[in-house]
Amino acid sequence: MIEFDIETEYIQLDKLLKACRLVYSGGEAHQLIDEGLVKLNGTVETRRRAKIRPGDKVQVGSEIIVVKTKK
């Protein structure tokens, strides 16, 4: 599990995948999302720029990202 802290209200899904180094490029992130391989809070997410907020859980394969507020 990856814990990812944000200082802003949200982070876009494609940027989160890149920031967590689950992909090397935005294009690779878009491909995973378009293929339905990314889940947001247990549901397949197909919006590349979905707003991910603190408390959300994103899953790619067996990897889970928990988004938190940076304190």
Side-chain angles (χ1 to χ4, degrees):
M1 179 172 22
I2 299 170
E3 292 185 357
F4 187 82
D5 295 328
I6 59 173
E7 296 178 356
T8 57
E9 180 185 348
Y10 66 88
I11 184 171
Q12 291 180 183
L13 179 57
D14 54 352
K15 291 182 180 180
L16 176 66
L17 298 180
K18 230 176 126 180
C20 289
R21 298 184 181 183
L22 295 179
V23 296
Y24 295 105
S25 68
E28 191 177 347
H30 294 171
Q31 184 176 1
L32 284 177
I33 296 165
D34 291 346
E35 291 177 4
L37 300 175
V38 179
K39 291 184 179 180
L40 172 58
N41 299 323
T43 304
V44 172
E45 181 57 71
T46 57
R47 296 173 296 156
R48 297 174 177 182
R49 294 189 171 118
K51 294 178 180 178
I52 310 302
R53 302 181 193 295
D56 285 340
K57 292 182 182 176
V58 175
Q59 182 174 354
V60 180
S62 62
E63 196 67 68
I64 297 174
I65 305 164
V66 178
V67 179
K68 303 169 110 184
T69 302
K70 187 171 184 175
K71 295 182 180 181

